[in-house]
Structures are given as structure tokens and as C-alpha cells.
Amino acid sequence: MTQPPPPPPNQPPQQGGFGPPSPQQPPQPQQPPQPQQPPQPQQPPQPQPGYGYPQAAPAPQPTQPPQPGYGYPGGQQPPAQVQQPTYGQPAAPYPGQRQNPYAQPAQPGYGYPGQPPTVPMHPQPGQSGGGRNNTTLLIVVAAVVAIALIVAGGFWYASSSGGGDKTHDSASSSGATGGKNGSGGGTGGTGGKEKVPANPAAHVLFQVPLPTADDTVSTVGSWLTDKVYAKSGMAEIVGYDPVKGTKLWTIPLPGPVCAASPHATADGKTAIVYQPKWNTKKNFAGCTQISAIDLNAGKKLWTQSVKSGDSPISYQNVTVAQRTVAVGDSNGAAAFDIDSDKPLWLPKPGDNCYDAGYGGGDKLVAVRKCGDSDNGQLLVQTLDPKTGKVISEYKMDPGIKYASIVSTDPLVVAADVGESAGDGSGVSDYFSIDNKTGKLLAHISAPGKTYGGKCDGIYRVEACKSIVAGNGKLYLPTEEHDGSGGALNSTNEIVSFDLNTGKPTGQRIEAGDGYLLSPLRTDGGNLIAYKKPPYDKGGQVVSIDGGSFKATKLLENPAVDDARNAESNMLPEDSEILFGDGRLYMSQVYAKEKGWASDGKEDLVVAYGTNG
């Protein structure tokens, strides 16, 4: 696995463990991924514990023999299941973890050097109780109402919007955006919506040049609806015609986008967090502005901010679940109705727990942290998106400091248990959880030396790449390894695991020499995957049949120099890759810092499509 990029320097550093990082150590600029070393020769499969840990009484943990090589041999039966102790047995409850389910530790916010401790909040008139609503706080909510976008004094104000389509998107995995781009929940079916073209040969639809800046600037966020492809730029969001690439609209922002929901509603509404102004060397503006965006109309619907005492809370986690916008942070989390901007719940002091962030889509799931850095515990809670009421809860074992939400429906959580991944991927194990009961269905061990994909659980709760959960399965790429021609023809595979048992399904597909497979999302009962090409070929998008696990080519990019060079800069585990309606959109999440060397023209966005 590759090393994950650090958070952008113009964004606040995120929480390490259960306390904020030292403000004297700002994150370093993103470095290009380093070449990977060839893995060690594959060892023959050895008898070993099964990948799923069934519910069982605690017992001594057996030593786990080496994992089978890259995936597991096609056609072989999975290894015999060995009874293991249940991973994540409930521990003693923390004070207030259910009766008072929202807390805010008294500590400085992210990215506020020298900020005084959080000031206790005071009652706010008119707040109702229940769910995660707060009855004893002072919250400053900035919502500027207008019917259309208005430019005033160099700042953009936006209106609240009522009504709208009450349906929600079908996407539920992180790392992809709503509707047709989601990594899909549900139990799936047999067919997908993506049509197999008569000729999969693709051409470049359009390219958007990569902007340059004095520092590394975040351009995170991309969405695809039936009407528009939208992408964050430097302090703006731009909507493009999905075929022609012409600009349909632009939403200027006073500062860069810090975080963007990977989900959108069925009617094209999503949410972002951004800075109220550009950073200076002496003043970090914070990621304090929360806005809902209508992607189809090209409008900023409303803007909110939340204060803890006199200090605004800076957010790096934002998601959309059904009609709810939710933001999380150690200094307090909040949720708003996406149509009306009505606060659904707000930060509440009084215990030692807080929601670090949320996963969205069909369901809303919180990663909740309780206790301190020495005696802390993570709780994975499925919530009612309208009230914040806890529907179910799973307690992860003490000692697991971070967790990432791969998918909310099915509910799959990733973690680096004991920091054993050892490769910067943030993942060593996956946990399949029942949404209704909070029961652990399966624990899947995925050693970093064998499996690819990565999650950014330290900084963002919902930021997994090249990992897909859906159709009752977890789809993982294997690590890159030598192909039949040696290291020059490196390759990998995609394998799957049963989310109810944790066992390998026996499904395995090879990328082919020189190609690397990355799961993107489900499409009905099928899996959509991207194939990173060798140096002299164009990349491909394939549909992998959910039953036979055979691939059908949906698109193949041109192998001409310009198109190949543009594609080579878009690494699957570091870029945003969306595929829908037979078109592939690849985009960068950082602008280019001035002075960095480049072999040629670089793109913020490159889009490909077939002729039918």
C-alpha cells in the first residue's frame, strides 16, 4: 500500500489518538507516492484461523500463521474456520455514553495555535431535547438567507431552501459520491445499470488544467449527477457539462474547500466545509463554514457555523445521510436539515465522549470516542438521521485509536489494530456490523503486506479508497506484486469476503501483467473496477460479474501520449475517480504548489468517454 497524503497545510491538523496534535508540527506538503518494493515470494497456503471471527466465548488467542499470498488461489476452498474469541467484547460503559450521548472535551480546536481551552457553554433558548439535541449550550449559528446568490463585499451569501425531493441516494460507501457514483449498499441483484458499449475504445472528453498556488491547497470534492459533473477548484466549485466539459456554473468561495461529502441526495444536493478566507502565515482561518450545495442548480443553499465559547469549531468531517448534513470533531459535532438548514442536534458538554465524524449515504453512522488517550474506546453507532437517536452500538476493543467507515449499508468499519498494518494505509482489519443490533458479524484480517486500499482514519472518518462493500461482500485489491515478466510487469488481483461469515468467497480476478485493479463501486450485483495501465497502454474500467467474477470491458482509455500522461498522474488511492453512464472522471485533490518540478502539463480533471 502507498503512503497516504498528509492533510493540506491550509487545513487544521486533525486529532491524533484522543488528543489534538502539537500545533508546532504542521503537516508537510504532499509528496509523490514512492515506488513500492516487490513483495516477498508467495508462500503456499498454510492452515490458519478463518478470516471471520464467529461469536464465541473468550478463549486464548492462537498464533496466526502466515497469510496466503496475493489473495487466495482461485477455485480453492477457504481455510477451515477456527473458533476465535469475539473481537470487540463490550467493555465497561463510560459515564454518559448513552444517557448523554454528545460530549465536548475541554481542549483547543484543530489548527488553533495558542487557543484557550473550550469555554463552557450556556443555555440557548428554544432548543428542544431528545436525540442528540442540546438543551444546555450557547451555539452561534450563522445562516445568511437569500433566494439567489448575491455578491456583496467580496463574499458570497446563500439561501436556505425548503422542500425538494425527499428520496435519498443509494450510495453508502465512502470514497465515492452519491447516486451512480456510490460504492453501493443493499444486497444487490444480478444486473447493473452500466451498459456494455459496442466499442469500449474511449477518447478524452475534456480536461481542466491543474491550478497553481503559493502553497498546497485542497481541491477535494467531486460529484456526478444526471445533469452535471461538479468539482472543487481553488476556493470555488465548478459545474461542467458531463460530456462537453463546458462550464455550466461557478460557486466562488472566500477560501479553499477543506472537506466534501462523498454523497449527494437523489436530487443532487451535497455539503462541503470550507475556510472563511485564505490562510496567511500568521493566521489560520479554520475550516469553519458549513454549506449545502445544489449541484444541479449550481447554488449554495445555506451556510452555517458552530462556535464553542468564543471560538468557531473547525471541521474536517462532513457527510450527507438521507436529508441530513452531519459534521464531527472533538470539539463538538452538529447536524442540519439539508433543505431548511434547521439544526437537528448541536454539541453538548457534560461527559467524556464525542463524535469524531460520520459516515453517510443510506444510513448515518457515528464514530464516537470515549475516555482519554490511555483508556479510550471507540463506539460505532448507527443513528436516526433526523434526531440523532442511537439505533445500535458496537464497542471496539480498547486500544484501537482510529476507525474509518467503509460503508454504512452494509456497515463495514476499517481499523489499524495495534498499528500492525505498517505501511501507512491505516487498515489491518475490517469489521462487519449489523446495523439493527450492533452485533459483530465478522472480523476480517487484511494484512498490509497482502491487501491494498487505504483509509485516513486519523484525519477523516469517511475517507477510504479502493475498498468497496456491497452485495453482502467486501471487495479488496491485493498488493502489487511481480507479474509473469517480473517487476516490470507488476500486477494484482481483486478478491472478496463474505460479510456475514468473514470467510473468503473464493472469488478472485487477476488484473493481468502490467495492470493494477482498484474497486470503485457496486453496480447492481456487479462490481465496477478501474485498471491502472502499464506505461504503454490506456487504463480500463471493467464490470465484474457478481456471480462468475468475470470482467467485461466498459471503457479503455487511449494510449496516445497526452491522454496517457494525464491519466498517469491520477493514482487510484490518492485521486477521485468516478464512473457513470459510460464516462470516467479522474481528478486531483490538491492544487499544484509553485516551484514543484513537472514533466509536462498537469490536469485538475480529465474525463473520458466512448462513442457508444
Side-chain angles (χ1 to χ4, degrees), residues 10 32 53 79 88 97 140 156 210 232 251 295 329-330 352 384 454 594:
N10 66 347
Y53 292 4
Q97 77 179 34
V140 178
W156 283 74
L210 184 68
S232 295
I251 301 175
L295 297 169
D329 183 82
S330 63
N352 62 347
D384 183 328
K454 74 175 184 181
K594 293 178 180 178

Side-chain angles (χ1 to χ4, degrees), residues 589-610:
V589 295
Y590 297 103
K592 183 181 178 182
E593 185 176 350
K594 293 178 180 178
W596 278 27
S598 174
D599 294 333
K601 183 182 70 174
E602 295 183 62
D603 295 304
L604 174 67
V605 177
V606 58
Y608 303 89
T610 65

Side-chain angles (χ1 to χ4, degrees), residues 247-467:
K247 285 188 180 182
L248 301 178
W249 49 259
T250 300
I251 301 175
L253 301 170
V257 175
C258 303
S261 169
H263 307 283
T265 63
D267 56 345
K269 295 177 182 177
T270 191
I272 60 171
V273 172
Y274 60 95
Q275 297 184 37
K277 60 182 179 179
W278 281 91
N279 292 336
T280 66
K281 293 181 179 180
K282 297 182 179 180
N283 180 26
F284 176 70
C287 301
T288 59
Q289 306 301 293
I290 310 157
S291 283
I293 304 294
D294 187 329
L295 297 169
N296 290 330
K299 293 182 179 180
K300 185 165 58 169
L301 300 175
W302 48 259
T303 299
Q304 297 271 22
S305 65
V306 179
K307 281 190 177 181
S308 170
D310 295 329
S311 300
I313 298 177
S314 184
Y315 290 106
Q316 291 281 337
N317 288 275
V318 59
T319 198
V320 171
Q322 299 180 25
R323 310 302 297 188
T324 295
V325 175
V327 289
D329 183 82
S330 63
N331 283 316
F336 304 89
D337 182 90
I338 199 168
D339 299 301
S340 67
D341 83 352
K342 174 187 175 182
L344 301 176
W345 63 84
L346 298 167
K348 186 174 183 178
D351 63 21
N352 62 347
C353 300
Y354 61 89
D355 289 357
Y358 301 95
D362 281 343
K363 298 183 183 297
L364 181 64
V365 175
V367 172
R368 188 166 176 78
K369 293 188 177 184
C370 293
D372 54 33
S373 58
D374 295 325
N375 301 290
Q377 186 175 34
L378 296 183
L379 311 176
V380 179
Q381 297 180 333
T382 298
L383 310 177
D384 183 328
K386 295 182 179 179
T387 65
K389 179 181 178 181
V390 178
I391 297 172
S392 67
E393 178 182 274
Y394 171 71
K395 298 178 182 178
M396 304 194 78
D397 274 4
I400 299 178
K401 296 183 178 181
Y402 313 106
S404 298
I405 298 173
V406 175
S407 168
T408 62
D409 186 18
L411 178 51
V412 178
V413 174
D416 187 358
V417 178
E419 299 180 353
S420 59
D423 58 356
S425 66
V427 185
S428 66
D429 297 78
Y430 295 91
F431 303 83
S432 175
I433 302 167
D434 186 281
N435 275 109
K436 296 180 180 179
T437 64
K439 176 184 176 181
L440 179 68
L441 300 176
H443 166 216
I444 301 170
S445 177
K449 65 181 180 181
T450 303
Y451 298 100
K454 74 175 184 181
C455 298
D456 185 11
I458 297 177
Y459 299 105
R460 292 184 176 127
V461 165
E462 193 179 36
C464 292
K465 300 278 190 178
S466 300
I467 304 164

Side-chain angles (χ1 to χ4, degrees), residues 11-366:
Q11 298 184 21
Q14 288 295 298
Q15 178 125 341
F18 291 85
S22 170
Q24 288 77 24
Q25 298 179 358
Q28 298 300 313
Q30 180 186 9
Q31 298 297 327
Q34 298 298 317
Q36 296 178 336
Q37 295 297 323
Q40 296 300 315
Q42 179 175 344
Q43 298 296 324
Q46 301 290 330
Q48 57 181 300
Y51 285 90
Y53 292 4
Q55 299 290 332
Q61 179 77 19
T63 302
Q64 182 171 338
Q67 295 287 323
Y70 295 98
Y72 36 83
Q76 269 196 306
Q77 295 296 320
Q81 184 77 5
V82 178
Q83 291 292 327
Q84 300 287 345
T86 301
Y87 203 96
Q89 288 290 334
Y94 286 86
Q97 77 179 34
R98 276 188 180 275
Q99 297 85 352
N100 203 1
Y102 215 88
Q104 168 175 302
Q107 57 184 327
Y110 295 126
Y112 293 89
Q115 179 182 342
T118 302
V119 180
M121 299 181 183
H122 303 287
Q124 177 184 355
Q127 286 292 337
S128 59
R132 269 172 158 70
N133 286 352
N134 177 24
T135 59
T136 59
L137 75 140
L138 174 61
I139 192 79
V140 178
V141 180
V144 185
V145 180
I147 299 302
L149 293 174
I150 302 172
V151 183
F155 291 90
W156 283 74
Y157 297 90
S159 66
S160 298
S161 175
D165 188 345
K166 296 300 180 182
T167 61
H168 56 80
D169 67 306
S170 61
S172 58
S173 294
S174 59
T177 40
K180 66 189 69 177
N181 314 308
S183 324
T187 57
T190 55
K193 295 181 179 179
E194 295 296 337
K195 298 179 180 179
V196 179
N199 182 1
H203 59 278
V204 175
L205 295 175
F206 63 90
Q207 293 170 270
V208 179
L210 184 68
T212 58
D214 292 333
D215 201 350
T216 302
V217 176
S218 170
T219 59
V220 64
S222 60
W223 306 266
L224 181 62
T225 75
D226 292 334
K227 298 180 180 180
V228 67
Y229 169 75
K231 172 62 186 170
S232 295
M234 285 206 312
E236 65 179 5
I237 299 176
V238 180
Y240 301 91
D241 182 286
V243 178
K244 300 177 182 179
T246 53
K247 285 188 180 182
L248 301 178
W249 49 259
T250 300
I251 301 175
L253 301 170
V257 175
C258 303
S261 169
H263 307 283
T265 63
D267 56 345
K269 295 177 182 177
T270 191
I272 60 171
V273 172
Y274 60 95
Q275 297 184 37
K277 60 182 179 179
W278 281 91
N279 292 336
T280 66
K281 293 181 179 180
K282 297 182 179 180
N283 180 26
F284 176 70
C287 301
T288 59
Q289 306 301 293
I290 310 157
S291 283
I293 304 294
D294 187 329
L295 297 169
N296 290 330
K299 293 182 179 180
K300 185 165 58 169
L301 300 175
W302 48 259
T303 299
Q304 297 271 22
S305 65
V306 179
K307 281 190 177 181
S308 170
D310 295 329
S311 300
I313 298 177
S314 184
Y315 290 106
Q316 291 281 337
N317 288 275
V318 59
T319 198
V320 171
Q322 299 180 25
R323 310 302 297 188
T324 295
V325 175
V327 289
D329 183 82
S330 63
N331 283 316
F336 304 89
D337 182 90
I338 199 168
D339 299 301
S340 67
D341 83 352
K342 174 187 175 182
L344 301 176
W345 63 84
L346 298 167
K348 186 174 183 178
D351 63 21
N352 62 347
C353 300
Y354 61 89
D355 289 357
Y358 301 95
D362 281 343
K363 298 183 183 297
L364 181 64
V365 175

